[in-house]
Amino acid sequence: VLFRSEGIVAFAAGTALTAAEIREKMQRRVPKYMVPTEVRFLKGLPMSASGKTDRKSLTAMLAEGSA
């Protein structure tokens, strides 16, 4: 999940859910301000050398518009 001036962008991988389904499920579980305004789907999330989600890569993809 990354924050932009337009709202929160969530990245998802390995799910059969649609963006609308993800947002609907989140609306039932988290406060309104935490529900993403946009969901982008990837084949897999980029990982760092330590095995964690590589947030810098996601931020770069977002800036490039490639995700």
Side-chain angles (χ1 to χ4, degrees), residues 6 19 23 28 32-35 38 48 51 53 55 59-60:
E6 299 87 19
R23 293 188 75 244
R28 288 189 267 144
K32 185 176 181 176
Y33 72 90
M34 294 177 78
V35 176
E38 182 179 351
S48 69
T53 302
R55 293 182 59 159
T59 302

Side-chain angles (χ1 to χ4, degrees), residues 5-7 19-20 25 29 33 37-38 42 48-50 55 62 65-66:
S5 60
E6 299 87 19
K25 287 179 180 289
R29 291 179 171 84
Y33 72 90
T37 54
E38 182 179 351
L42 303 173
S48 69
S50 63
R55 293 182 59 159
L62 194 59
S66 64

Side-chain angles (χ1 to χ4, degrees), residues 7-49:
I8 296 174
V9 178
F11 289 88
T15 182
L17 297 174
T18 65
E21 290 170 328
I22 290 171
R23 293 188 75 244
E24 186 263 319
K25 287 179 180 289
M26 290 188 73
Q27 286 171 345
R28 288 189 267 144
R29 291 179 171 84
V30 299
K32 185 176 181 176
Y33 72 90
M34 294 177 78
V35 176
T37 54
E38 182 179 351
V39 179
R40 296 191 182 189
F41 294 92
L42 303 173
K43 288 184 179 183
L45 294 175
M47 304 304 270
S48 69

